Amino acid sequence: MEIVAAEGLRLDLDVFDYLILVIYFATVLGVGFAARRAIKTSADFFLSGRSMPAWVTGLAFVSANLGALEIIGMAANGAQYGLMTLHYYWIGAVPAMVFLGIVMMPFYYGSKVRSVPEFLRLRFNRPTHLLNAITFAIAQVLIAGVNLYALALILDALLGWPLWVSIVVGAAIVLIYISIGGLSSAIYNEVLQFFVILAGLIPITIVGLVKVGGIDGLFDSVRDSRLGDQALHTWQDTASTANPLGANWIGIVFGLGFVLSFGYWTTNFAEVQRALSAKDMSAARRTPIIGAFPKLFIPIITVIPGLIAIITIRGLGAEEGDLVYNNAIPLLMNDLLPNGVLGVAVTGLVASFMAGMAANVSGFNTVFTYDIWQQYVRRDRSDEYYLRIGRWATVGGIVVGIGTAFIAAGFSNIMNYIQALFSLFNAPLFATFIVGMFWKRMSAWAGFWSLLLGTLSSLTLYLLYLADVVPFNSDLEESFWGAGLAFVTAVVVAVAVTLFTPPRPENELRGLVYGLAGPTTSGQAVLAADKVWWRNPVLLGTIAVVLAFVLYIPVW
Amino acid sequence: MADETNRPDDDMLAQGEELERRSAAAKLFDVRLVIGGLFVVYGVIVALLGLFDSAAEIDKAQGVRINLWMGLAMLGLGGFFLLWRWWRPLQISVPEPGADDDQRRPGGH
């Protein structure tokens, strides 16, 4: 169990481990080249020609969220906070994914929009559209850069690769397979990555559990560790904030479970794009719901290893150096995995970086081309022209992302800031969406002002927190309050501005607003069961939510 | 399409129909072949390594023959995807307007 600090993270890969990694790179590139022949139009490139089956889009949906920052971060949270980390999966993801599939997807897919910003253009006006398109495009490039930098850091620690080698190689592979194969290539690779990530992480959980004496042995050891019994409960101590997460049940249910989670899952185009590529309405609605089922069980390969790490790795939780919480999974790989599965685990980590980054890049090139270039820069060109712009946007986005990665290398904390900041932008967007979808009176300018002021309110609070003007117990608490403030501000502004501005004519809003049905969003179309029960979105969604409740019971 | 009657001015959405007709998406290969192929290869490599694992490597994994078991599991996963593809191959779907795609298009489940 002793870890030597200096070389603590360096893995001893042999030729077979590298063979496994190289085969993976070759496969990913091969998928990109093979997808090329299926691209003739811009819709093929940006939306896979809306032809994907539900199981593919559903796994891509969950994989796009399974970036390495997520995996490493959730294992770190598991080691630091214990089982309360499960809230990020069960209440903090599954209900929002089901809501997206059952309630919101009929509007997204049924209105034939090609992106989330485009929905805002139809429902509100061009200023709202432009504001959201630009914020989204900038956020995606920055987050892609942050992902790239994190990949480079981990490969430096594990394999001793210099930072710039990892950044350039990682960026080049994603660049090639997306600019050639478009969204089809990104989605197919995400499905592949999903299984590679699982294959890489499952051995850590298995061998780790054997080491600590099974799940009972693990829980007994955690009870005796400095985390204590509190780390084995999710709700028991949430009447106050005297629990590992430092949040009470109101913050968890409304801050995490409602505002943050619904904001992220229902309006983030990098996610929603996967559903828009589905072959029909039923498949589009099932996409996030199919994704919810793996999401329920992903803690087995993130949170459980985090707990195993806190038991088996002495000194984990240092402020800096090799023993920081974020290294929980890499340390376990080093400690437990023999060559062979070790190569698969390294490949799984690399795959998860690529999945996360590819989702950002394919969301970016679509919004840049359709929502910015085609709308505001060069209208009415041929479809081939926009297809070409999309390929160049991919190149441009990745090159700027590389630049961001090198800037982030200079400020180690900047990546946390950027992630946190953009997570706050989703909360006002969700408020604008939800009011606009359910209240037909909401005016076009109300959309613009609620989005702008909601975003500015969360930004202001965040900057005040960074400047130590407004104190919070933790970054997490700040994000709950920031998201809540942004949500309330956006709703209040939406109502206030609507009262002083004219509504849009109802016939322009058909298919976009609840109660003004288009042919695909009428009550009957939405509630109609699919022909067989296992393709019924409402039934599948209900099962997912019930499962989330049931899973909570043993770890109450 | 309702969108054309309700938003006749929106040429961005109107062109979607035309693009769908020209789409080459039907030419896309079957992802099950890639997943199946990759995992069969991985399974064979890792299971073979597992057969010849040294005592030190088995000790490192707490006495679990993890290479052997994970290799066989990956082989099983790869085999599953290849069998699924063989059992329900992707058909070349001819786009028929109004066709009921629930029964027509494979790859759904």
Side-chain angles (χ1 to χ4, degrees), chain A residues 233-260:
Chain A
H233 294 281
T234 48
W235 292 106
Q236 190 174 275
D237 305 306
T238 55
S240 70
T241 56
N243 55 56
L245 212 52
N248 62 17
W249 66 272
I250 299 175
I252 294 170
V253 172
F254 292 100
L256 178 65
F258 183 61
V259 181
L260 280 178

PDB file of all heavy atoms in Angstrom, chain A residues 233-260:
ATOM      1  N   HIS A 233     -23.889   7.382   3.867  1.00  0.00           N
ATOM      2  CA  HIS A 233     -25.294   7.759   3.740  1.00  0.00           C
ATOM      3  C   HIS A 233     -25.445   8.891   2.733  1.00  0.00           C
ATOM      4  O   HIS A 233     -24.547   9.710   2.574  1.00  0.00           O
ATOM      5  CB  HIS A 233     -25.853   8.194   5.091  1.00  0.00           C
ATOM      6  CG  HIS A 233     -25.906   7.067   6.076  1.00  0.00           C
ATOM      7  ND1 HIS A 233     -26.894   6.119   6.043  1.00  0.00           N
ATOM      8  CD2 HIS A 233     -25.080   6.741   7.086  1.00  0.00           C
ATOM      9  CE1 HIS A 233     -26.670   5.241   7.011  1.00  0.00           C
ATOM     10  NE2 HIS A 233     -25.580   5.586   7.660  1.00  0.00           N
ATOM     11  N   THR A 234     -26.613   8.920   2.078  1.00  0.00           N
ATOM     12  CA  THR A 234     -26.828   9.959   1.079  1.00  0.00           C
ATOM     13  C   THR A 234     -27.761  11.059   1.569  1.00  0.00           C
ATOM     14  O   THR A 234     -27.606  12.219   1.223  1.00  0.00           O
ATOM     15  CB  THR A 234     -27.422   9.351  -0.200  1.00  0.00           C
ATOM     16  OG1 THR A 234     -28.516   8.507   0.156  1.00  0.00           O
ATOM     17  CG2 THR A 234     -26.372   8.547  -0.942  1.00  0.00           C
ATOM     18  N   TRP A 235     -28.776  10.681   2.363  1.00  0.00           N
ATOM     19  CA  TRP A 235     -29.774  11.678   2.786  1.00  0.00           C
ATOM     20  C   TRP A 235     -29.820  11.878   4.300  1.00  0.00           C
ATOM     21  O   TRP A 235     -30.339  12.874   4.780  1.00  0.00           O
ATOM     22  CB  TRP A 235     -31.179  11.249   2.341  1.00  0.00           C
ATOM     23  CG  TRP A 235     -31.388  11.279   0.865  1.00  0.00           C
ATOM     24  CD1 TRP A 235     -31.451  10.210   0.029  1.00  0.00           C
ATOM     25  CD2 TRP A 235     -31.561  12.440   0.038  1.00  0.00           C
ATOM     26  NE1 TRP A 235     -31.641  10.610  -1.266  1.00  0.00           N
ATOM     27  CE2 TRP A 235     -31.719  11.980  -1.290  1.00  0.00           C
ATOM     28  CE3 TRP A 235     -31.597  13.809   0.282  1.00  0.00           C
ATOM     29  CZ2 TRP A 235     -31.906  12.844  -2.363  1.00  0.00           C
ATOM     30  CZ3 TRP A 235     -31.787  14.680  -0.789  1.00  0.00           C
ATOM     31  CH2 TRP A 235     -31.929  14.195  -2.091  1.00  0.00           C
ATOM     32  N   GLN A 236     -29.289  10.905   5.065  1.00  0.00           N
ATOM     33  CA  GLN A 236     -29.557  10.875   6.498  1.00  0.00           C
ATOM     34  C   GLN A 236     -29.201  12.180   7.219  1.00  0.00           C
ATOM     35  O   GLN A 236     -29.927  12.624   8.090  1.00  0.00           O
ATOM     36  CB  GLN A 236     -28.772   9.717   7.125  1.00  0.00           C
ATOM     37  CG  GLN A 236     -29.150   9.442   8.558  1.00  0.00           C
ATOM     38  CD  GLN A 236     -28.424   8.189   9.058  1.00  0.00           C
ATOM     39  OE1 GLN A 236     -28.881   7.075   8.862  1.00  0.00           O
ATOM     40  NE2 GLN A 236     -27.280   8.386   9.674  1.00  0.00           N
ATOM     41  N   ASP A 237     -28.092  12.798   6.824  1.00  0.00           N
ATOM     42  CA  ASP A 237     -27.644  13.982   7.559  1.00  0.00           C
ATOM     43  C   ASP A 237     -27.915  15.276   6.805  1.00  0.00           C
ATOM     44  O   ASP A 237     -27.220  16.270   6.986  1.00  0.00           O
ATOM     45  CB  ASP A 237     -26.141  13.861   7.835  1.00  0.00           C
ATOM     46  CG  ASP A 237     -25.819  12.571   8.558  1.00  0.00           C
ATOM     47  OD1 ASP A 237     -26.433  12.333   9.611  1.00  0.00           O
ATOM     48  OD2 ASP A 237     -24.989  11.794   8.059  1.00  0.00           O
ATOM     49  N   THR A 238     -28.921  15.273   5.952  1.00  0.00           N
ATOM     50  CA  THR A 238     -29.109  16.456   5.117  1.00  0.00           C
ATOM     51  C   THR A 238     -30.148  17.424   5.661  1.00  0.00           C
ATOM     52  O   THR A 238     -30.539  18.360   4.975  1.00  0.00           O
ATOM     53  CB  THR A 238     -29.507  16.071   3.673  1.00  0.00           C
ATOM     54  OG1 THR A 238     -30.670  15.238   3.742  1.00  0.00           O
ATOM     55  CG2 THR A 238     -28.386  15.344   2.978  1.00  0.00           C
ATOM     56  N   ALA A 239     -30.602  17.216   6.908  1.00  0.00           N
ATOM     57  CA  ALA A 239     -31.491  18.208   7.513  1.00  0.00           C
ATOM     58  C   ALA A 239     -30.717  19.504   7.749  1.00  0.00           C
ATOM     59  O   ALA A 239     -31.261  20.607   7.651  1.00  0.00           O
ATOM     60  CB  ALA A 239     -32.075  17.679   8.823  1.00  0.00           C
ATOM     61  N   SER A 240     -29.452  19.379   8.040  1.00  0.00           N
ATOM     62  CA  SER A 240     -28.588  20.555   8.162  1.00  0.00           C
ATOM     63  C   SER A 240     -27.468  20.409   7.142  1.00  0.00           C
ATOM     64  O   SER A 240     -27.470  19.500   6.322  1.00  0.00           O
ATOM     65  CB  SER A 240     -28.000  20.628   9.571  1.00  0.00           C
ATOM     66  OG  SER A 240     -27.062  19.572   9.724  1.00  0.00           O
ATOM     67  N   THR A 241     -26.487  21.311   7.214  1.00  0.00           N
ATOM     68  CA  THR A 241     -25.368  21.186   6.284  1.00  0.00           C
ATOM     69  C   THR A 241     -24.198  20.454   6.930  1.00  0.00           C
ATOM     70  O   THR A 241     -23.095  20.452   6.396  1.00  0.00           O
ATOM     71  CB  THR A 241     -24.886  22.567   5.807  1.00  0.00           C
ATOM     72  OG1 THR A 241     -24.559  23.335   6.969  1.00  0.00           O
ATOM     73  CG2 THR A 241     -25.950  23.270   4.999  1.00  0.00           C
ATOM     74  N   ALA A 242     -24.456  19.813   8.097  1.00  0.00           N
ATOM     75  CA  ALA A 242     -23.374  19.091   8.780  1.00  0.00           C
ATOM     76  C   ALA A 242     -23.200  17.705   8.185  1.00  0.00           C
ATOM     77  O   ALA A 242     -23.422  16.685   8.830  1.00  0.00           O
ATOM     78  CB  ALA A 242     -23.673  18.995  10.274  1.00  0.00           C
ATOM     79  N   ASN A 243     -22.842  17.652   6.909  1.00  0.00           N
ATOM     80  CA  ASN A 243     -22.573  16.378   6.244  1.00  0.00           C
ATOM     81  C   ASN A 243     -21.389  16.594   5.309  1.00  0.00           C
ATOM     82  O   ASN A 243     -20.965  17.740   5.103  1.00  0.00           O
ATOM     83  CB  ASN A 243     -23.825  15.901   5.497  1.00  0.00           C
ATOM     84  CG  ASN A 243     -24.337  16.934   4.526  1.00  0.00           C
ATOM     85  OD1 ASN A 243     -23.597  17.380   3.654  1.00  0.00           O
ATOM     86  ND2 ASN A 243     -25.590  17.349   4.671  1.00  0.00           N
ATOM     87  N   PRO A 244     -20.823  15.522   4.766  1.00  0.00           N
ATOM     88  CA  PRO A 244     -19.591  15.687   3.986  1.00  0.00           C
ATOM     89  C   PRO A 244     -19.709  16.694   2.837  1.00  0.00           C
ATOM     90  O   PRO A 244     -18.764  17.420   2.545  1.00  0.00           O
ATOM     91  CB  PRO A 244     -19.334  14.274   3.447  1.00  0.00           C
ATOM     92  CG  PRO A 244     -19.981  13.369   4.419  1.00  0.00           C
ATOM     93  CD  PRO A 244     -21.180  14.098   4.930  1.00  0.00           C
ATOM     94  N   LEU A 245     -20.872  16.736   2.191  1.00  0.00           N
ATOM     95  CA  LEU A 245     -21.029  17.617   1.034  1.00  0.00           C
ATOM     96  C   LEU A 245     -21.254  19.075   1.449  1.00  0.00           C
ATOM     97  O   LEU A 245     -21.088  19.993   0.654  1.00  0.00           O
ATOM     98  CB  LEU A 245     -22.212  17.129   0.189  1.00  0.00           C
ATOM     99  CG  LEU A 245     -22.165  17.325  -1.322  1.00  0.00           C
ATOM    100  CD1 LEU A 245     -20.883  16.778  -1.914  1.00  0.00           C
ATOM    101  CD2 LEU A 245     -23.365  16.634  -1.958  1.00  0.00           C
ATOM    102  N   GLY A 246     -21.657  19.291   2.710  1.00  0.00           N
ATOM    103  CA  GLY A 246     -21.900  20.654   3.177  1.00  0.00           C
ATOM    104  C   GLY A 246     -23.147  21.265   2.580  1.00  0.00           C
ATOM    105  O   GLY A 246     -23.244  22.490   2.426  1.00  0.00           O
ATOM    106  N   ALA A 247     -24.130  20.429   2.212  1.00  0.00           N
ATOM    107  CA  ALA A 247     -25.345  20.952   1.590  1.00  0.00           C
ATOM    108  C   ALA A 247     -26.550  20.277   2.237  1.00  0.00           C
ATOM    109  O   ALA A 247     -26.507  19.090   2.543  1.00  0.00           O
ATOM    110  CB  ALA A 247     -25.344  20.661   0.097  1.00  0.00           C
ATOM    111  N   ASN A 248     -27.631  21.034   2.468  1.00  0.00           N
ATOM    112  CA  ASN A 248     -28.827  20.403   3.019  1.00  0.00           C
ATOM    113  C   ASN A 248     -29.720  19.902   1.880  1.00  0.00           C
ATOM    114  O   ASN A 248     -29.426  20.094   0.704  1.00  0.00           O
ATOM    115  CB  ASN A 248     -29.564  21.359   3.956  1.00  0.00           C
ATOM    116  CG  ASN A 248     -30.055  22.596   3.232  1.00  0.00           C
ATOM    117  OD1 ASN A 248     -30.130  22.626   2.004  1.00  0.00           O
ATOM    118  ND2 ASN A 248     -30.379  23.622   3.988  1.00  0.00           N
ATOM    119  N   TRP A 249     -30.821  19.253   2.258  1.00  0.00           N
ATOM    120  CA  TRP A 249     -31.632  18.590   1.227  1.00  0.00           C
ATOM    121  C   TRP A 249     -32.275  19.582   0.270  1.00  0.00           C
ATOM    122  O   TRP A 249     -32.500  19.279  -0.888  1.00  0.00           O
ATOM    123  CB  TRP A 249     -32.688  17.682   1.873  1.00  0.00           C
ATOM    124  CG  TRP A 249     -33.738  18.409   2.655  1.00  0.00           C
ATOM    125  CD1 TRP A 249     -33.693  18.760   3.969  1.00  0.00           C
ATOM    126  CD2 TRP A 249     -34.995  18.876   2.156  1.00  0.00           C
ATOM    127  NE1 TRP A 249     -34.829  19.425   4.331  1.00  0.00           N
ATOM    128  CE2 TRP A 249     -35.654  19.510   3.246  1.00  0.00           C
ATOM    129  CE3 TRP A 249     -35.637  18.834   0.912  1.00  0.00           C
ATOM    130  CZ2 TRP A 249     -36.919  20.104   3.107  1.00  0.00           C
ATOM    131  CZ3 TRP A 249     -36.892  19.421   0.773  1.00  0.00           C
ATOM    132  CH2 TRP A 249     -37.515  20.035   1.870  1.00  0.00           C
ATOM    133  N   ILE A 250     -32.516  20.809   0.747  1.00  0.00           N
ATOM    134  CA  ILE A 250     -33.105  21.799  -0.164  1.00  0.00           C
ATOM    135  C   ILE A 250     -32.109  22.134  -1.282  1.00  0.00           C
ATOM    136  O   ILE A 250     -32.454  22.172  -2.461  1.00  0.00           O
ATOM    137  CB  ILE A 250     -33.494  23.077   0.605  1.00  0.00           C
ATOM    138  CG1 ILE A 250     -34.529  22.730   1.681  1.00  0.00           C
ATOM    139  CG2 ILE A 250     -34.041  24.130  -0.342  1.00  0.00           C
ATOM    140  CD1 ILE A 250     -34.890  23.874   2.578  1.00  0.00           C
ATOM    141  N   GLY A 251     -30.865  22.346  -0.883  1.00  0.00           N
ATOM    142  CA  GLY A 251     -29.835  22.619  -1.884  1.00  0.00           C
ATOM    143  C   GLY A 251     -29.654  21.459  -2.841  1.00  0.00           C
ATOM    144  O   GLY A 251     -29.491  21.649  -4.043  1.00  0.00           O
ATOM    145  N   ILE A 252     -29.708  20.240  -2.303  1.00  0.00           N
ATOM    146  CA  ILE A 252     -29.507  19.068  -3.158  1.00  0.00           C
ATOM    147  C   ILE A 252     -30.669  18.892  -4.132  1.00  0.00           C
ATOM    148  O   ILE A 252     -30.484  18.708  -5.332  1.00  0.00           O
ATOM    149  CB  ILE A 252     -29.324  17.800  -2.303  1.00  0.00           C
ATOM    150  CG1 ILE A 252     -28.021  17.904  -1.505  1.00  0.00           C
ATOM    151  CG2 ILE A 252     -29.308  16.553  -3.155  1.00  0.00           C
ATOM    152  CD1 ILE A 252     -27.848  16.841  -0.451  1.00  0.00           C
ATOM    153  N   VAL A 253     -31.899  19.006  -3.608  1.00  0.00           N
ATOM    154  CA  VAL A 253     -33.058  18.769  -4.464  1.00  0.00           C
ATOM    155  C   VAL A 253     -33.245  19.894  -5.479  1.00  0.00           C
ATOM    156  O   VAL A 253     -33.397  19.645  -6.680  1.00  0.00           O
ATOM    157  CB  VAL A 253     -34.337  18.586  -3.618  1.00  0.00           C
ATOM    158  CG1 VAL A 253     -35.565  18.524  -4.509  1.00  0.00           C
ATOM    159  CG2 VAL A 253     -34.234  17.331  -2.776  1.00  0.00           C
ATOM    160  N   PHE A 254     -33.199  21.150  -5.012  1.00  0.00           N
ATOM    161  CA  PHE A 254     -33.498  22.250  -5.937  1.00  0.00           C
ATOM    162  C   PHE A 254     -32.262  22.765  -6.664  1.00  0.00           C
ATOM    163  O   PHE A 254     -32.313  23.035  -7.854  1.00  0.00           O
ATOM    164  CB  PHE A 254     -34.208  23.383  -5.195  1.00  0.00           C
ATOM    165  CG  PHE A 254     -35.573  22.995  -4.743  1.00  0.00           C
ATOM    166  CD1 PHE A 254     -35.799  22.622  -3.429  1.00  0.00           C
ATOM    167  CD2 PHE A 254     -36.632  22.949  -5.636  1.00  0.00           C
ATOM    168  CE1 PHE A 254     -37.060  22.224  -3.008  1.00  0.00           C
ATOM    169  CE2 PHE A 254     -37.891  22.553  -5.227  1.00  0.00           C
ATOM    170  CZ  PHE A 254     -38.105  22.184  -3.911  1.00  0.00           C
ATOM    171  N   GLY A 255     -31.160  22.917  -5.935  1.00  0.00           N
ATOM    172  CA  GLY A 255     -29.954  23.428  -6.580  1.00  0.00           C
ATOM    173  C   GLY A 255     -29.360  22.425  -7.548  1.00  0.00           C
ATOM    174  O   GLY A 255     -29.232  22.680  -8.745  1.00  0.00           O
ATOM    175  N   LEU A 256     -29.028  21.234  -7.017  1.00  0.00           N
ATOM    176  CA  LEU A 256     -28.400  20.215  -7.861  1.00  0.00           C
ATOM    177  C   LEU A 256     -29.427  19.488  -8.730  1.00  0.00           C
ATOM    178  O   LEU A 256     -29.296  19.411  -9.950  1.00  0.00           O
ATOM    179  CB  LEU A 256     -27.645  19.208  -6.985  1.00  0.00           C
ATOM    180  CG  LEU A 256     -26.971  18.045  -7.709  1.00  0.00           C
ATOM    181  CD1 LEU A 256     -25.862  18.555  -8.604  1.00  0.00           C
ATOM    182  CD2 LEU A 256     -26.413  17.047  -6.715  1.00  0.00           C
ATOM    183  N   GLY A 257     -30.477  18.964  -8.071  1.00  0.00           N
ATOM    184  CA  GLY A 257     -31.431  18.115  -8.771  1.00  0.00           C
ATOM    185  C   GLY A 257     -32.290  18.865  -9.770  1.00  0.00           C
ATOM    186  O   GLY A 257     -32.685  18.318 -10.793  1.00  0.00           O
ATOM    187  N   PHE A 258     -32.587  20.138  -9.502  1.00  0.00           N
ATOM    188  CA  PHE A 258     -33.450  20.859 -10.430  1.00  0.00           C
ATOM    189  C   PHE A 258     -32.659  21.830 -11.311  1.00  0.00           C
ATOM    190  O   PHE A 258     -32.462  21.581 -12.496  1.00  0.00           O
ATOM    191  CB  PHE A 258     -34.563  21.587  -9.670  1.00  0.00           C
ATOM    192  CG  PHE A 258     -35.535  22.283 -10.573  1.00  0.00           C
ATOM    193  CD1 PHE A 258     -36.276  21.566 -11.490  1.00  0.00           C
ATOM    194  CD2 PHE A 258     -35.684  23.655 -10.521  1.00  0.00           C
ATOM    195  CE1 PHE A 258     -37.172  22.200 -12.347  1.00  0.00           C
ATOM    196  CE2 PHE A 258     -36.566  24.297 -11.368  1.00  0.00           C
ATOM    197  CZ  PHE A 258     -37.302  23.576 -12.280  1.00  0.00           C
ATOM    198  N   VAL A 259     -32.148  22.904 -10.741  1.00  0.00           N
ATOM    199  CA  VAL A 259     -31.598  23.961 -11.596  1.00  0.00           C
ATOM    200  C   VAL A 259     -30.325  23.521 -12.328  1.00  0.00           C
ATOM    201  O   VAL A 259     -30.246  23.600 -13.554  1.00  0.00           O
ATOM    202  CB  VAL A 259     -31.328  25.236 -10.774  1.00  0.00           C
ATOM    203  CG1 VAL A 259     -30.792  26.313 -11.691  1.00  0.00           C
ATOM    204  CG2 VAL A 259     -32.598  25.707 -10.107  1.00  0.00           C
ATOM    205  N   LEU A 260     -29.335  23.050 -11.596  1.00  0.00           N
ATOM    206  CA  LEU A 260     -28.070  22.680 -12.258  1.00  0.00           C
ATOM    207  C   LEU A 260     -28.272  21.528 -13.226  1.00  0.00           C
ATOM    208  O   LEU A 260     -27.811  21.549 -14.361  1.00  0.00           O
ATOM    209  CB  LEU A 260     -27.021  22.297 -11.211  1.00  0.00           C
ATOM    210  CG  LEU A 260     -26.293  23.437 -10.508  1.00  0.00           C
ATOM    211  CD1 LEU A 260     -25.325  22.881  -9.477  1.00  0.00           C
ATOM    212  CD2 LEU A 260     -25.548  24.300 -11.514  1.00  0.00           C
TER     213      LEU A 260
END
